Coordinates of all heavy atoms in Angstrom, one line a residue:
E98 N -2.1 -45.5 -10.1 CA -3.3 -44.7 -10.1 C -3.0 -43.2 -9.9 O -3.5 -42.4 -10.6 CB -4.3 -45.2 -9.1 CG -5.0 -46.5 -9.5 CD -6.0 -46.3 -10.6 OE1 -6.5 -45.2 -10.8 OE2 -6.2 -47.3 -11.3
L99 N -2.2 -43.0 -8.8 CA -2.0 -41.6 -8.5 C -1.2 -40.9 -9.6 O -1.5 -39.7 -9.9 CB -1.2 -41.5 -7.2 CG -2.0 -41.8 -5.9 CD1 -1.1 -41.7 -4.7 CD2 -3.2 -40.8 -5.7
A100 N -0.2 -41.6 -10.2 CA 0.5 -41.0 -11.3 C -0.4 -40.7 -12.5 O -0.2 -39.7 -13.2 CB 1.7 -41.9 -11.7
A101 N -1.4 -41.6 -12.6 CA -2.3 -41.4 -13.8 C -3.3 -40.3 -13.6 O -3.7 -39.6 -14.5 CB -3.1 -42.7 -14.0
I102 N -3.8 -40.1 -12.4 CA -4.9 -39.1 -12.2 C -4.4 -37.7 -11.8 O -5.1 -36.7 -11.8 CB -5.9 -39.5 -11.1 CG1 -5.3 -39.6 -9.7 CG2 -6.6 -40.8 -11.6 CD1 -6.4 -39.9 -8.6
S103 N -3.1 -37.6 -11.4 CA -2.6 -36.3 -10.9 C -2.3 -35.4 -12.1 O -2.2 -35.9 -13.2 CB -1.3 -36.5 -10.1 OG -0.4 -37.2 -10.8
P104 N -2.0 -34.1 -11.9 CA -1.6 -33.3 -13.0 C -0.4 -33.9 -13.8 O 0.4 -34.6 -13.2 CB -1.1 -32.0 -12.3 CG -1.9 -32.0 -11.0 CD -2.1 -33.4 -10.6
P105 N -0.5 -33.8 -15.1 CA 0.4 -34.7 -16.0 C 1.9 -34.5 -15.7 O 2.6 -35.5 -16.0 CB 0.1 -34.2 -17.4 CG -1.2 -33.4 -17.3 CD -1.4 -33.0 -15.9
N106 N 2.3 -33.4 -15.2 CA 3.8 -33.2 -14.9 C 4.2 -34.0 -13.7 O 5.4 -34.2 -13.5 CB 4.1 -31.8 -14.8 CG 3.5 -31.1 -13.5 OD1 2.3 -31.4 -13.2 ND2 4.2 -30.3 -12.8
L107 N 3.3 -34.5 -12.9 CA 3.6 -35.2 -11.7 C 3.6 -36.7 -12.0 O 2.5 -37.4 -12.0 CB 2.7 -34.9 -10.5 CG 2.6 -33.4 -10.1 CD1 1.7 -33.2 -9.0 CD2 4.0 -32.9 -9.8
T108 N 4.8 -37.2 -12.3 CA 4.8 -38.6 -12.8 C 5.3 -39.6 -11.8 O 5.3 -40.8 -12.0 CB 5.8 -38.6 -14.0 OG1 7.0 -38.0 -13.6 CG2 5.2 -37.9 -15.2
R109 N 5.9 -39.1 -10.6 CA 6.5 -40.0 -9.7 C 5.8 -39.9 -8.3 O 5.4 -38.8 -7.9 CB 8.0 -39.7 -9.5 CG 8.8 -39.8 -10.8 CD 8.9 -41.3 -11.2 NE 9.8 -41.4 -12.3 CZ 10.7 -42.4 -12.4 NH1 10.9 -43.3 -11.4 NH2 11.5 -42.5 -13.4
V110 N 5.7 -41.1 -7.7 CA 4.9 -41.1 -6.4 C 5.8 -41.8 -5.3 O 6.4 -42.9 -5.5 CB 3.6 -42.0 -6.6 CG1 2.9 -42.0 -5.2 CG2 2.8 -41.4 -7.7
N111 N 5.9 -41.1 -4.2 CA 6.6 -41.7 -3.0 C 5.6 -42.0 -2.0 O 4.9 -41.1 -1.5 CB 7.7 -40.7 -2.5 CG 8.5 -41.2 -1.4 OD1 8.0 -41.8 -0.4 ND2 9.8 -41.1 -1.5
L112 N 5.5 -43.2 -1.6 CA 4.5 -43.7 -0.6 C 5.1 -44.0 0.8 O 4.4 -44.7 1.6 CB 3.7 -44.9 -1.1 CG 2.6 -44.8 -2.1 CD1 1.9 -46.2 -2.2 CD2 1.5 -43.8 -1.6
R113 N 6.3 -43.6 1.0 CA 7.0 -44.2 2.1 C 6.8 -43.5 3.5 O 7.5 -43.7 4.4 CB 8.5 -44.2 1.8 CG 8.8 -45.1 0.6 CD 10.3 -45.5 0.5 NE 10.7 -46.4 1.6 CZ 11.8 -46.2 2.3 NH1 12.6 -45.2 2.1 NH2 12.1 -47.1 3.2
S114 N 5.8 -42.6 3.5 CA 5.4 -42.1 4.8 C 3.9 -42.2 5.0 O 3.2 -42.5 4.0 CB 5.9 -40.6 5.0 OG 5.3 -39.8 4.0
S115 N 3.4 -42.0 6.2 CA 2.0 -42.3 6.4 C 1.2 -41.1 7.0 O 0.1 -41.3 7.4 CB 1.8 -43.6 7.2 OG 2.7 -43.6 8.2
S116 N 1.9 -40.0 7.2 CA 1.1 -38.8 7.7 C 1.4 -37.6 6.8 O 2.4 -37.5 6.1 CB 1.5 -38.5 9.1 OG 2.8 -37.9 9.1
G117 N 0.5 -36.6 7.0 CA 0.7 -35.4 6.2 C 1.9 -34.7 6.6 O 2.6 -34.1 5.8
S118 N 2.3 -34.7 7.9 CA 3.5 -34.0 8.4 C 4.7 -34.5 7.7 O 5.6 -33.8 7.2 CB 3.6 -34.1 9.9 OG 2.5 -33.7 10.5
T119 N 4.8 -35.9 7.7 CA 6.0 -36.5 7.1 C 6.0 -36.4 5.6 O 7.1 -36.3 5.0 CB 6.1 -37.9 7.5 OG1 4.9 -38.6 7.3 CG2 6.6 -38.1 9.0
A120 N 4.8 -36.3 5.0 CA 4.8 -36.1 3.5 C 5.3 -34.7 3.2 O 6.1 -34.5 2.3 CB 3.4 -36.3 3.0
N121 N 4.8 -33.7 4.0 CA 5.3 -32.3 3.7 C 6.8 -32.2 4.0 O 7.5 -31.5 3.2 CB 4.5 -31.3 4.6 CG 3.2 -30.9 3.9 OD1 3.0 -31.1 2.7 ND2 2.3 -30.5 4.7
E122 N 7.2 -32.8 5.1 CA 8.6 -32.8 5.4 C 9.5 -33.5 4.3 O 10.5 -32.9 3.9 CB 8.9 -33.5 6.7 CG 10.0 -32.8 7.5 CD 10.0 -33.1 9.0 OE1 8.9 -32.8 9.6 OE2 11.0 -33.5 9.5
G123 N 9.0 -34.5 3.8 CA 9.7 -35.2 2.7 C 9.7 -34.3 1.4 O 10.8 -34.3 0.8
A124 N 8.6 -33.6 1.1 CA 8.6 -32.8 0.0 C 9.7 -31.6 0.1 O 10.4 -31.3 -0.8 CB 7.2 -32.2 -0.2
I125 N 9.8 -31.1 1.4 CA 10.8 -30.1 1.6 C 12.2 -30.6 1.5 O 13.1 -30.0 0.8 CB 10.5 -29.5 3.0 CG1 9.2 -28.7 3.1 CG2 11.7 -28.6 3.5 CD1 8.7 -28.4 4.4
K126 N 12.4 -31.8 2.0 CA 13.8 -32.4 1.8 C 14.1 -32.6 0.4 O 15.2 -32.3 -0.1 CB 13.8 -33.8 2.5 CG 13.9 -33.8 4.0 CD 13.4 -35.1 4.6 CE 14.4 -35.8 5.4 NZ 13.8 -37.1 5.9
M127 N 13.1 -33.1 -0.4 CA 13.4 -33.3 -1.9 C 13.7 -32.0 -2.5 O 14.6 -31.9 -3.4 CB 12.2 -34.0 -2.5 CG 12.0 -35.4 -2.1 SD 10.5 -36.1 -2.8 CE 10.2 -37.5 -1.8
A128 N 12.9 -30.9 -2.2 CA 13.1 -29.6 -2.8 C 14.5 -29.1 -2.4 O 15.2 -28.5 -3.3 CB 12.0 -28.6 -2.4
Q129 N 14.9 -29.3 -1.2 CA 16.2 -28.8 -0.8 C 17.3 -29.6 -1.5 O 18.3 -28.9 -2.0 CB 16.4 -29.0 0.7 CG 15.5 -28.0 1.5 CD 15.7 -28.2 3.0 OE1 15.9 -29.3 3.5 NE2 15.6 -27.1 3.8
L130 N 17.2 -30.9 -1.6 CA 18.2 -31.7 -2.3 C 18.3 -31.3 -3.8 O 19.3 -31.2 -4.3 CB 17.8 -33.1 -2.2 CG 18.9 -34.0 -1.6 CD1 18.9 -33.8 0.0 CD2 18.8 -35.4 -1.9
H131 N 17.1 -31.1 -4.3 CA 17.0 -30.8 -5.8 C 17.6 -29.4 -6.1 O 18.3 -29.3 -7.1 CB 15.6 -30.9 -6.3 CG 15.5 -30.8 -7.7 ND1 15.9 -31.7 -8.6 CD2 15.0 -29.7 -8.5 CE1 15.7 -31.3 -9.9 NE2 15.1 -30.1 -9.8
T132 N 17.3 -28.5 -5.3 CA 17.7 -27.1 -5.6 C 19.1 -26.7 -5.0 O 19.7 -25.7 -5.4 CB 16.7 -26.1 -5.1 OG1 16.6 -26.2 -3.7 CG2 15.3 -26.2 -5.8
G133 N 19.4 -27.5 -3.9 CA 20.7 -27.1 -3.2 C 20.4 -25.8 -2.4 O 21.4 -25.2 -1.9
R134 N 19.1 -25.5 -2.1 CA 18.8 -24.3 -1.3 C 18.1 -24.7 0.0 O 17.8 -25.8 0.2 CB 17.9 -23.4 -2.2 CG 18.6 -23.0 -3.5 CD 17.9 -21.8 -4.0 NE 18.0 -21.6 -5.4 CZ 17.1 -21.2 -6.2 NH1 15.9 -20.9 -5.7 NH2 17.2 -21.0 -7.5
R135 N 17.8 -23.6 0.8 CA 17.4 -23.9 2.2 C 15.9 -23.5 2.5 O 15.2 -24.3 3.0 CB 18.3 -23.1 3.1 CG 19.7 -23.5 3.1 CD 20.5 -22.9 4.3 NE 20.6 -21.5 4.2 CZ 21.6 -20.9 3.5 NH1 22.5 -21.6 2.9 NH2 21.8 -19.6 3.5
D136 N 15.6 -22.3 2.3 CA 14.4 -21.7 3.0 C 13.1 -22.3 2.4 O 13.0 -22.7 1.2 CB 14.4 -20.2 2.9 CG 15.4 -19.6 3.8 OD1 16.1 -20.3 4.5 OD2 15.5 -18.3 3.8
V137 N 12.0 -22.1 3.2 CA 10.7 -22.6 2.8 C 9.7 -21.5 3.0 O 9.6 -20.9 4.1 CB 10.3 -23.8 3.7 CG1 8.9 -24.3 3.2 CG2 11.3 -24.9 3.6
I138 N 9.1 -21.1 1.9 CA 8.1 -20.0 2.0 C 6.7 -20.6 2.3 O 6.3 -21.6 1.7 CB 8.0 -19.2 0.7 CG1 9.3 -18.5 0.4 CG2 6.8 -18.2 0.7 CD1 9.4 -17.8 -0.9
V139 N 6.0 -20.1 3.3 CA 4.8 -20.6 3.8 C 3.8 -19.4 4.0 O 4.2 -18.4 4.6 CB 4.9 -21.4 5.1 CG1 3.6 -21.9 5.6 CG2 5.9 -22.5 4.9
P140 N 2.6 -19.5 3.6 CA 1.7 -18.4 3.8 C 1.3 -18.3 5.3 O 1.2 -19.3 6.0 CB 0.4 -18.7 3.0 CG 0.8 -19.8 2.2 CD 1.9 -20.5 2.8
F141 N 1.0 -17.0 5.8 CA 0.4 -16.9 7.1 C -0.8 -17.8 7.2 O -1.5 -18.1 6.3 CB -0.2 -15.5 7.3 CG 0.8 -14.3 7.3 CD1 0.4 -13.0 7.4 CD2 2.2 -14.6 7.3 CE1 1.3 -11.9 7.4 CE2 3.1 -13.5 7.3 CZ 2.6 -12.2 7.4
R142 N -1.0 -18.4 8.4 CA -2.1 -19.2 8.8 C -2.0 -20.7 8.3 O -2.9 -21.5 8.6 CB -3.5 -18.7 8.3 CG -3.8 -17.3 8.9 CD -5.2 -16.8 8.3 NE -5.4 -15.4 8.8 CZ -4.9 -14.3 8.3 NH1 -4.1 -14.4 7.2 NH2 -5.1 -13.2 8.8
A143 N -1.0 -21.0 7.5 CA -0.9 -22.3 6.9 C -0.7 -23.4 8.0 O -0.1 -23.0 9.0 CB 0.2 -22.4 5.9
H144 N -1.1 -24.6 7.8 CA -0.8 -25.7 8.7 C -0.1 -26.8 7.9 O -0.7 -27.3 7.0 CB -2.0 -26.3 9.3 CG -1.7 -27.4 10.2 ND1 -1.1 -27.3 11.4 CD2 -1.9 -28.8 10.1 CE1 -0.9 -28.4 12.0 NE2 -1.4 -29.4 11.2
L145 N 1.2 -27.0 8.2 CA 2.0 -28.0 7.5 C 2.1 -29.3 8.3 O 2.4 -30.4 7.7 CB 3.4 -27.5 7.2 CG 3.6 -26.8 5.9 CD1 2.9 -25.4 5.9 CD2 5.1 -26.5 5.7
G146 N 1.9 -29.2 9.6 CA 2.0 -30.5 10.4 C 2.5 -30.2 11.8 O 2.6 -29.1 12.2
Q147 N 2.8 -31.3 12.5 CA 3.2 -31.2 13.9 C 4.6 -31.8 14.2 O 4.9 -31.9 15.4 CB 2.1 -32.0 14.7 CG 0.7 -31.4 14.5 CD 0.3 -30.4 15.5 OE1 1.1 -29.9 16.3 NE2 -0.9 -30.0 15.6

Side-chain angles (χ1 to χ4, degrees):
E98 284 288 334
L99 288 177
I102 64 172
S103 61
N106 63 321
L107 301 180
T108 50
R109 298 291 187 137
V110 182
N111 184 312
L112 275 191
R113 298 195 69 226
S114 61
S115 40
S116 76
S118 306
T119 48
N121 278 339
E122 210 157 308
I125 291 164
K126 283 158 122 179
M127 290 177 196
Q129 288 181 328
L130 235 80
H131 183 72
T132 59
R134 304 202 202 138
R135 297 193 289 275
D136 289 359
V137 182
I138 296 177
V139 177
F141 291 176
R142 299 179 184 80
H144 178 72
L145 271 65
Q147 303 265 10

